[in-house]
Amino acid sequence: MAVIRHPTTPRVTPGIELGIGSVAVVVLTIILASAPLPFGLAGLVIATAVGAVLIPDWRYSLGLAVITYFLFVGFIAGDMGQLSWRGHDALWQLVAFGLAYLAGLTLRWLINNPPPD
């Protein structure tokens, strides 16, 4: 017998999705740690957008975006886990993560609420 789920009931608890996303971002950070800085930035910015699309609660997806940014600053742009603000470059990197998060939210909104024909 099939179980019908109410449309407003979440698939799973968003905290679990945040945990799964955090583990995925940590693994991606380990993979990209030896890559050049632009590849590391691109990989984690894409991960931020994907997290914003897949996690239905904006607060949890924002949490994943912050975790992703700090992993980038600490392990890819920084020196072996030291968080450091590198002035103008760090500001542009923060803007890139912010725009990726907003793009992910917009894409999620377009997927869930398609425009009328």
Side-chain angles (χ1 to χ4, degrees):
M1 181 163 87
V3 177
I4 298 175
R5 183 176 56 86
H6 192 271
T8 59
T9 305
R11 299 181 313 247
V12 294
T13 307
I16 293 175
E17 291 176 339
L18 174 61
I20 293 169
S22 298
V23 169
V25 167
V26 167
V27 170
L28 183 63
T29 303
I30 292 169
I31 292 170
L32 294 174
S34 61
L37 183 64
F39 290 129
L41 177 64
L44 290 179
V45 163
I46 291 170
T48 300
V50 169
V53 170
L54 294 179
I55 298 176
D57 191 345
W58 69 270
R59 295 169 295 207
Y60 291 97
S61 63
L62 180 61
L64 182 63
V66 169
I67 290 168
T68 305
Y69 176 71
F70 282 141
L71 284 172
F72 172 77
V73 169
F75 291 102
I76 295 181
D79 297 325
M80 301 306 287
Q82 291 221 331
L83 297 175
S84 59
W85 186 262
R86 297 182 188 261
H88 198 255
D89 290 338
L91 180 64
W92 285 113
Q93 293 163 355
L94 181 62
V95 167
F97 277 91
L99 288 176
Y101 177 71
L102 291 176
L105 288 181
T106 304
L107 183 59
R108 184 178 72 206
W109 179 77
L110 287 173
I111 290 170
N112 293 332
N113 303 318
D117 290 330

